[in-house]
Amino acid sequence: MHEELEKTVKIFREHYIPDSVEPMVIYGTGLLAEAVVTSCADYPIEGLMDAARTGETLWGKKVLSEAEAKEAGIRLVVVAARPAVHTIIYKRLQKWSEQCSVRILDIQGNDISEKGKKKIYDSPYFEKSYEQLLQEIDRHDVISFDIFDTLLTRKVYEPRDVFALLDCEYKDKYPFVFSIERELAQQELSRTEEPDIHQIYRKMRENNPCLSSEECETLKEREIWMERQILTPRRRMLDFLKYCVEKGKIIYLVTDMYLPEKILEGILRQFGVTRYHKLFVSCEYKVTKQNGLFQEMKRHAPSGCTYLHIGDHPVADGEMARKNGIDDFGILSPLRMMELSSYSQLLVHVEGLEGRIMLGLLMSEVFQDPFAMYHSGGKPKISMSKSFGYVFLAPLILSFMVWMLGQVKGDRRAAILFSARDGWLPEQLYRMMTRAFRLSGLPESNYLLISRRAVLQLDEPDKWVQRKRYQKYLEDFHLEAYERVYFFDFMSRGTCQYHLEKLLHRELQGLYFQKSKSGEAGKDALAVKRYYKEENAVDSERHIFGVCDFLECILTAFTPSFIEFSEEFQPIYEEERRTKEQIACVRDIQEGIKDYCRQFTEILTCLPEQMPPVDFCDEMLQLMGADYSRIAVLQIKEMILDDAVCKDKNTGRDALM
C-alpha cells in the first residue's frame, strides 16, 4: 500500500476504536475509502455511500442510498475523501443527516458540519502562475507532460462516465450492465498487469460468453469513439507545449492509460498535439508512473539532462516524479480547481449522468486554464459574453428544453407557437435538439410575432383593422389542422395566451418557464404546464425571480418588440432602443447557450428521462453574482430591458450584484 494510504488507515485507527465504535458507513469510493475498508475488516463498517455510485458493490460492501442507511439504523458516517470535498459531501447529506440524527465526521473524528458552515475560498494553489511554469521550463532540458487532465480533459464529471454513457446506448441489448462488466474486466486484469483496452475486452468476453467477438469489437470501438467525443484540450497547457517546442526542449508525454500508443497518437493528433519526441504509456511498458514508467522515460533521454514533469496528480505526477530524480510542477485538474472555488456548491448535484455531463461542460470551460484562479480569491473570472451564456444560462435553458421535449414527445398531431420575443432562441433549440436526439412525431414549431402591447390594443374598438390583419396572420399557420396547439412563454401571467385564445376561439396548452397568478380569473384558469412550479415571486427564494428581467434581455430576438402589421402586411416594430453593442453581446451569449446545448447532445445522444433538479440550474444563476464570480464583460453590466409597457430598466447591473 502506498504511504499516503497507509497514513490514512493509521489516522482512522487512532481516532476510531474497533471494539467501542458504533456501526458506521464510509462515505467515498476512491482510493482512501478503499484503503480504510480493505484494511479495517475488524470495524463495524456496514456499507459505503457515494451519490454517484449508489447500488454498486465495492470491496464487498454495498453503496447504500440514504433510505437504506436509515433502514440499517446508521447514525455515523465517516468521510474518507480529500478534505477539499468535505464541505460538498456535507451539503449532499445535510438534510438527511439532520432528519435522521446522523453524525458526519472525517477520519480524524472532526465534525464536518462545522466545515460546511464556512464560506472561505482560499488555497496556496491560487498563488501559482503562468510565469512560474515558464521559468521552470526554461531551467530544464527535458519536459514531460501528463496527458489526461493536463493537456486534455473530459467534458464529464469523471472518466468512468464514458462507461455510463455507453450504458444508455446498450441498456436493452445485453443481459448485463455494460459499465459494471467493463470495469470488472479491467479490475481483474489490473491485479497482475497493466492491461490495454484489447486485453480488457477479451477479458470482458471471457466473463460474458453471450458476447460474440464482433460485438466486443463494436463495443470497444464505440468506447474509443466516445472517449474522443468527450475530450477537449486545455488550451493554455497546449500553449506551454508549443513554448517547449520553440525553446528546443526534449518533450515526452507520460500517461497511465489503457489506450495503446497508436490509439493515443490519433487522439492527440485530433487536437493538434504532434510535436513531441516520444509517448510513454503504462499499458505498453506494463508499468505505471508509480513502479517504473518514469525510469523508462529517463532511459531514452540523453545523459546529464535535467528533468521537469508537469501533471495534475499529486502522487503519480508529483511524488513519483521526485522519487525518480525528476523535478515536478503540479497543476490541478478542472474538477480539483472547482472543488476549491466558489462554484464548489454545485458538486452536490452528481447523482445522475445528465448532471455529471453538465458539470463536466462547466468545468472544462471555466477551469480549462490551470492558472485561471491565480490571485482570484476563489472566484472564477468570465471575460467573454459567449462564456457567460455557456456557463450561467445554458444549464437552465437546456434543462427547460429537455423538459419541454418530454412534455410534447409523441404528440405528432400538434403544433407549438414560440411567442416573440422570448421564444426566438427556444424555437431554434427545439429544432436543433429534435434533430440531435433523433426524435420523430413531435409537434411542428413556429415562431409567432406577438407582444402584450399588440394583443391588448386589439381589444380597442378603433383597432378593428389591426385585429383583422393579425387574424389573417394567424390563419397562415393553419392551426385548425392540429388537434392541440402549445404556446411557449417565458415568465408570464398569461396575458398573451389569454388574448390569443380569444382570437383563435380555442384553448391552448401553455408551456412556461414559470407562470404567476394574475388575480384575473381568465388568465389564472389558463391550461399551463410550468417548469418552475412557484406561482409567485413573493413566497419564493428562487434566484430566477431576481434575474428574470435580465433573462428576458437574453431570451430575445434581434428585432424590437412587435406592434402590428402594416397595410402591406409587413410587421411594424417598436423603435430599437438597444445599442449595437448590446445586441452583439446578446448574440454572443446566445451562441454560448447554443454551443453548450450542442455539446450536451453530442455527448448524450438520446433524450434524457430525468435532468438534475431545478435547484441545480437555479444555483447557476446565483453564481453570476459578485459574491461568486468576477464578470469582466462591460456590455452585460449595461444590459437594458427595452419594455414599452413597463418602461426600460437596467437589468445587467442588478443581475451581477
Side-chain angles (χ1 to χ4, degrees):
M1 186 185 295
H2 189 267
E3 60 186 48
E4 179 188 14
L5 303 180
E6 292 177 347
K7 181 180 178 182
T8 297
V9 173
K10 181 181 178 184
I11 292 172
F12 176 81
R13 285 190 170 277
E14 286 174 352
H15 291 88
Y16 298 93
I17 309 303
D19 294 335
S20 58
V21 71
E22 62 185 299
M24 68 175 72
V25 163
I26 301 296
Y27 194 104
T29 53
L31 293 175
L32 298 181
E34 180 181 8
V36 170
V37 171
T38 56
S39 301
C40 301
D42 51 330
Y43 281 74
I45 299 174
E46 301 299 316
L48 303 166
M49 292 186 80
D50 186 329
R53 306 191 70 170
T54 300
E56 297 183 33
T57 298
L58 300 171
W59 321 301
K61 304 291 184 182
K62 185 178 179 182
V63 185
L64 305 174
S65 65
E66 292 178 355
E68 289 171 326
K70 177 183 178 180
E71 187 176 343
I74 297 300
R75 294 291 179 268
L76 172 62
V77 174
V78 177
V79 177
R82 301 179 310 281
V85 300
H86 286 182
T87 297
I88 298 165
I89 292 170
Y90 172 72
K91 288 180 178 178
R92 288 178 191 162
L93 298 176
Q94 182 177 7
K95 185 177 179 180
W96 170 76
S97 66
E98 290 174 352
Q99 290 176 343
C100 301
S101 301
V102 176
R103 292 182 298 149
I104 306 175
L105 310 180
D106 63 17
I107 60 169
Q108 295 174 315
N110 299 314
D111 189 340
I112 287 180
S113 66
E114 294 303 312
K115 297 182 182 181
K117 296 173 184 175
K118 298 177 182 178
K119 205 173 187 178
I120 300 171
Y121 306 106
D122 193 17
S123 167
Y125 186 73
F126 299 165
E127 298 301 315
K128 281 196 172 184
S129 71
Y130 177 87
E131 291 74 20
Q132 290 170 7
L133 181 49
L134 289 179
Q135 292 170 6
E136 288 299 310
I137 289 172
D138 289 341
R139 291 179 48 243
H140 294 82
D141 307 312
V142 177
I143 312 298
S144 60
F145 290 86
D146 174 44
I147 296 178
F148 295 95
D149 282 331
T150 299
L151 294 178
L152 309 177
T153 191
R154 296 176 177 90
K155 293 182 283 189
V156 289
Y157 176 70
E158 58 183 353
R160 64 191 301 272
D161 287 332
V162 173
F163 308 146
L165 284 164
L166 293 175
D167 282 344
C168 294
E169 292 189 25
Y170 296 104
K171 62 181 178 181
D172 297 323
K173 188 168 183 179
Y174 300 110
F176 55 79
V177 178
F178 168 82
S179 59
I180 293 176
E181 293 301 315
R182 167 62 178 80
E183 291 186 271
L184 179 62
Q186 184 173 342
Q187 290 168 4
E188 290 176 350
L189 291 172
S190 296
R191 293 180 187 133
T192 57
E193 61 178 321
E194 285 300 311
D196 63 29
I197 195 168
H198 307 302
Q199 294 171 295
I200 291 169
Y201 272 88
R202 285 196 292 270
K203 182 64 175 176
M204 188 172 167
R205 188 185 175 212
E206 179 185 315
N207 291 347
N208 298 276
C210 63
L211 281 176
S212 67
S213 58
E214 291 79 11
E215 286 175 316
C216 261
E217 192 65 24
T218 298
L219 286 170
K220 180 175 65 179
E221 292 303 317
R222 191 62 180 168
E223 177 184 332
I224 296 169
W225 178 89
M226 186 64 76
E227 191 74 67
R228 287 176 176 271
Q229 195 74 6
I230 66 171
L231 283 168
T232 188
R234 298 191 80 176
R235 294 181 292 275
R236 179 55 67 91
M237 292 307 299
L238 297 193
D239 290 343
F240 285 115
L241 187 64
K242 182 180 178 182
Y243 180 80
C244 292
V245 172
E246 293 170 350
K247 289 291 184 176
K249 303 294 182 181
I250 298 172
I251 303 169
Y252 294 139
L253 306 186
V254 188
T255 182
D256 290 338
M257 188 56 175
Y258 46 78
L259 295 179
E261 182 175 342
K262 185 177 180 181
I263 295 174
L264 272 182
E265 284 177 343
I267 291 174
L268 291 165
R269 194 180 307 114
Q270 173 183 338
F271 298 106
V273 180
T274 57
R275 302 185 68 182
Y276 53 89
H277 292 84
K278 189 166 178 58
L279 174 60
F280 295 87
V281 190
S282 61
C283 68
E284 296 276 5
Y285 290 88
K286 300 303 178 185
V287 289
T288 67
K289 294 171 186 173
Q290 299 197 36
N291 61 11
L293 195 56
F294 281 122
Q295 285 301 316
E296 292 289 346
M297 181 192 81
K298 292 181 74 173
R299 274 195 279 274
H300 283 78
S303 60
C305 288
T306 54
Y307 299 86
L308 175 69
H309 180 68
I310 304 166
D312 70 289
H313 198 284
V315 176
D317 295 309
E319 184 180 327
M320 290 300 109
R322 294 190 295 274
K323 281 192 172 182
N324 284 277
I326 299 171
D327 292 334
D328 72 289
F329 191 99
I331 63 169
L332 291 185
S333 68
L335 174 57
R336 301 296 175 256
M337 291 176 70
M338 187 167 174
E339 289 172 354
L340 296 175
S341 79
S342 56
Y343 292 7
S344 61
Q345 66 192 59
L346 291 177
L347 295 173
V348 172
H349 305 285
V350 296
E351 291 87 348
L353 176 60
E354 296 79 9
R356 298 201 297 274
I357 296 170
M358 294 169 77
L359 286 171
L361 290 171
L362 167 71
M363 293 186 297
S364 63
E365 174 70 16
V366 177
F367 304 109
Q368 67 87 14
D369 179 356
F371 304 106
M373 303 299 287
Y374 178 65
H375 285 180
S376 67
K379 299 178 184 179
K381 184 177 182 179
I382 305 297
S383 304
M384 296 188 298
S385 301
K386 184 176 180 181
S387 295
F388 184 92
Y390 187 102
V391 172
F392 301 117
L393 308 183
L396 173 64
I397 307 302
L398 170 71
S399 294
F400 172 82
M401 293 307 303
V402 170
W403 173 82
M404 172 186 270
L405 288 168
Q407 297 298 314
V408 303
K409 185 173 64 173
D411 202 350
R412 64 176 66 247
R413 304 178 77 173
I416 299 184
L417 301 176
F418 286 88
S419 64
R421 293 177 292 173
D422 303 342
W424 173 256
L425 178 61
E427 198 274 334
Q428 296 175 62
L429 293 174
Y430 179 86
R431 287 185 280 109
M432 183 196 85
M433 294 172 67
T434 297
R435 292 191 301 269
F437 289 136
R438 299 185 296 278
L439 299 173
S440 59
L442 266 70
E444 180 180 344
S445 69
N446 302 275
Y447 181 66
L448 177 73
L449 291 175
I450 196 170
S451 69
R452 283 175 294 168
R453 176 178 175 178
V455 296
L456 288 171
Q457 71 177 2
L458 295 181
D459 283 343
E460 299 173 14
D462 60 342
K463 294 291 184 179
W464 65 270
V465 173
Q466 284 80 5
R467 183 183 180 92
K468 187 174 181 179
R469 289 173 186 167
Y470 195 73
Q471 285 179 318
K472 175 65 173 67
Y473 168 68
L474 292 175
E475 288 171 6
D476 291 343
F477 289 104
H478 302 290
L479 298 177
E480 69 280 357
Y482 300 98
E483 290 184 0
R484 189 183 347 270
V485 177
Y486 295 95
F487 179 82
F488 164 83
D489 209 341
F490 175 49
M491 298 180 74
S492 171
R493 291 182 172 84
T495 301
C496 287
Q497 181 177 339
Y498 174 73
H499 286 276
L500 190 59
E501 287 187 1
K502 289 170 64 177
L503 288 166
L504 293 171
H505 304 291
R506 68 180 296 176
E507 182 181 273
L508 306 177
Q509 174 61 63
L511 295 170
Y512 292 18
F513 266 85
Q514 184 271 337
K515 183 182 182 298
S516 295
K517 285 189 173 181
S518 67
E520 300 177 33
K523 294 180 185 178
D524 291 342
L526 292 171
V528 174
K529 295 181 179 179
R530 303 178 277 263
Y531 178 66
Y532 276 84
K533 304 308 180 187
E534 289 81 358
E535 293 185 339
N536 63 73
V538 177
D539 301 325
S540 175
E541 295 184 2
R542 295 281 191 197
H543 301 294
I544 194 170
F545 292 109
V547 296
C548 55
D549 290 336
F550 173 73
L551 293 177
E552 195 169 339
C553 295
I554 308 304
L555 291 177
T556 190
F558 305 118
T559 55
S561 187
F562 170 74
I563 302 176
E564 61 189 18
F565 286 103
S566 68
E567 187 175 348
E568 294 76 24
F569 211 70
Q570 295 299 309
I572 298 174
Y573 299 100
E574 299 277 0
E575 178 185 353
E576 180 61 84
R577 297 189 295 280
R578 298 171 295 180
T579 65
K580 291 182 179 178
E581 291 77 14
Q582 179 177 345
I583 293 173
C585 179
V586 170
R587 195 181 299 274
D588 287 343
I589 291 173
Q590 289 192 9
E591 283 303 311
I593 294 170
K594 287 191 279 190
D595 189 31
Y596 181 100
C597 294
R598 188 181 302 111
Q599 290 187 42
F600 182 91
T601 59
E602 288 172 352
I603 295 171
L604 190 63
T605 57
C606 54
L607 180 66
E609 295 179 2
Q610 184 175 356
M611 294 292 279
V614 174
D615 297 349
F616 173 79
C617 300
D618 202 65
E619 285 179 27
M620 284 304 313
L621 299 177
Q622 179 188 29
L623 296 186
M624 72 174 76
D627 287 342
Y628 300 92
S629 301
R630 296 170 295 147
I631 308 300
V633 185
L634 180 62
Q635 291 80 8
I636 294 177
K637 295 180 181 179
E638 297 178 348
M639 193 72 71
I640 301 293
L641 174 63
D642 56 323
D643 191 329
V645 177
C646 299
K647 297 185 179 181
D648 297 353
K649 60 186 80 172
N650 183 314
T651 63
R653 182 185 61 236
D654 296 340
L656 303 184
M657 289 180 63

